[in-house]
Amino acid sequence: MASNYELPDEVNDTRSKSVEKKVEMKTFISNVGLEELTIESDRQGEELLIKIVCVGGFTGGVGTKGVFIDDYLEVWPPVQTYRSPLIGVKFYLKTIRWQQSDAQKPISIKLQLWEIAEQERFSNMVKIYFRDCLGALVFWGTQRPSTLNEAVLWRENVKEFCPYAPCVLVTDNVGKEPVKWIGDGETFDSEIAFDQFCEEHGFVDHFEIKARDWESGEKSVFGRAVTRLLVEIFKNQ
């Protein structure tokens, strides 16, 4: 991945116009901090639209974060094990029923998942991609430990453009067999050290994916990471 990647200006102009039209679709939030929001279910039964970005460096596992997203969407038959790196951005939609507590009625949420290509961190399009983002899943891979540093940089991007959006760190440990990355001489000496790392860099939680799972949906590791984000998004409402 080129460390100084930048799209030509003429390409940016064309892509900006195209993406801006998509980003300005109906949402329940527009350029407002989370502390100013009051999230309510629509009286007419309309769905809330919540945008979550999936970012991070090339993890070396399944090839692209979109494989995990397709598994979460329970796409059948399952997509191929390895998928070539993405160029640009790809959109996914999933409708779920969300209940904040037993005392409240469930509401319908349409999740808009944006898979953003690794090299887009160096593009001036990233601000547009992050517009109206309410949460982020930030990936790194045990097969490429250097992606942990990239995850921190992506976290800074989220903080810059979406200061109130919570971030969850996701570890891609998918391969022929899981890689040991916690212990003496490993990436982290202990679970405590990893927890401290997440806290220092502003990740509200972390999840490790060790195998493909295209049957569990919301109960999958990816699904639980999304749920954790939703809990944090609605936390102060």
Side-chain angles (χ1 to χ4, degrees):
M1 179 180 70
S3 59
N4 58 348
Y5 176 84
E6 185 173 355
L7 292 171
D9 291 339
E10 61 271 18
V11 177
N12 275 339
D13 291 340
T14 302
R15 294 178 66 192
S16 295
K17 293 177 182 178
S18 173
V19 173
E20 283 179 353
K21 290 180 181 178
K22 294 181 180 179
V23 213
E24 290 173 358
M25 291 187 294
K26 179 183 177 184
T27 62
F28 68 96
I29 169 177
S30 178
N31 301 320
V32 181
L34 281 181
E35 79 283 359
E36 301 175 39
L37 286 177
T38 300
I39 302 178
E40 300 176 349
S41 58
D42 194 293
R43 293 181 180 180
Q44 298 179 356
E46 294 183 2
E47 297 171 328
L48 298 180
L49 181 60
I50 293 183
K51 175 180 174 180
I52 293 175
V53 296
C54 300
V55 297
F58 177 64
T59 62
V62 295
T64 169
K65 297 169 282 294
V67 173
F68 293 127
I69 299 175
D70 277 337
D71 287 348
Y72 170 60
L73 299 179
E74 300 177 85
V75 173
W76 189 264
V79 297
Q80 57 188 352
T81 302
Y82 180 88
R83 183 184 292 169
S84 299
L86 176 71
I87 296 177
V89 63
K90 188 173 181 180
F91 312 89
Y92 304 78
L93 289 174
K94 180 180 177 68
T95 299
I96 65 172
R97 297 294 289 172
W98 177 261
Q99 189 170 11
Q100 298 184 59
S101 68
D102 293 338
Q104 295 177 306
K105 294 182 179 180
I107 59 177
S108 181
I109 292 178
K110 179 170 287 186
L111 293 178
Q112 188 184 74
L113 300 168
W114 285 46
E115 178 192 5
I116 300 177
E118 293 81 8
Q119 71 273 14
E120 292 299 319
R121 185 167 62 82
F122 306 101
S123 167
N124 55 17
M125 293 288 292
V126 69
K127 183 176 182 179
I128 295 176
Y129 292 154
F130 279 28
R131 182 180 297 172
D132 294 332
C133 164
L134 292 184
L137 296 177
V138 184
F139 287 74
W140 77 284
T142 57
Q143 297 186 46
R144 297 186 68 245
S146 62
T147 54
L148 191 60
N149 294 327
E150 295 179 56
V152 172
L153 295 176
W154 274 108
R155 172 67 185 96
E156 292 302 313
N157 281 148
V158 176
K159 185 176 181 180
E160 177 183 359
F161 300 119
C162 312
Y164 302 103
C167 289
V168 166
L169 184 63
V170 180
T171 302
D172 176 2
N173 198 4
V174 176
K176 292 183 178 179
E177 58 182 45
V179 175
K180 182 181 179 183
W181 55 283
I182 293 181
D184 292 338
E186 304 298 340
T187 305
F188 292 96
D189 293 334
S190 64
E191 290 280 359
I192 294 177
F194 182 48
D195 289 340
Q196 290 175 340
F197 170 86
C198 291
E199 183 177 354
E200 289 173 3
H201 294 286
F203 294 104
V204 298
D205 211 335
H206 55 81
F207 295 83
E208 179 182 5
I209 302 178
K210 296 182 179 180
R212 295 281 304 281
D213 183 355
W214 55 84
E215 297 179 321
S216 300
E218 302 303 318
K219 296 181 180 179
S220 66
V221 177
F222 187 97
R224 288 189 282 118
V226 171
T227 297
R228 181 67 181 86
L229 273 182
L230 291 176
V231 168
E232 199 68 23
I233 288 170
F234 282 92
K235 184 176 180 180
N236 297 320
Q237 304 310 313

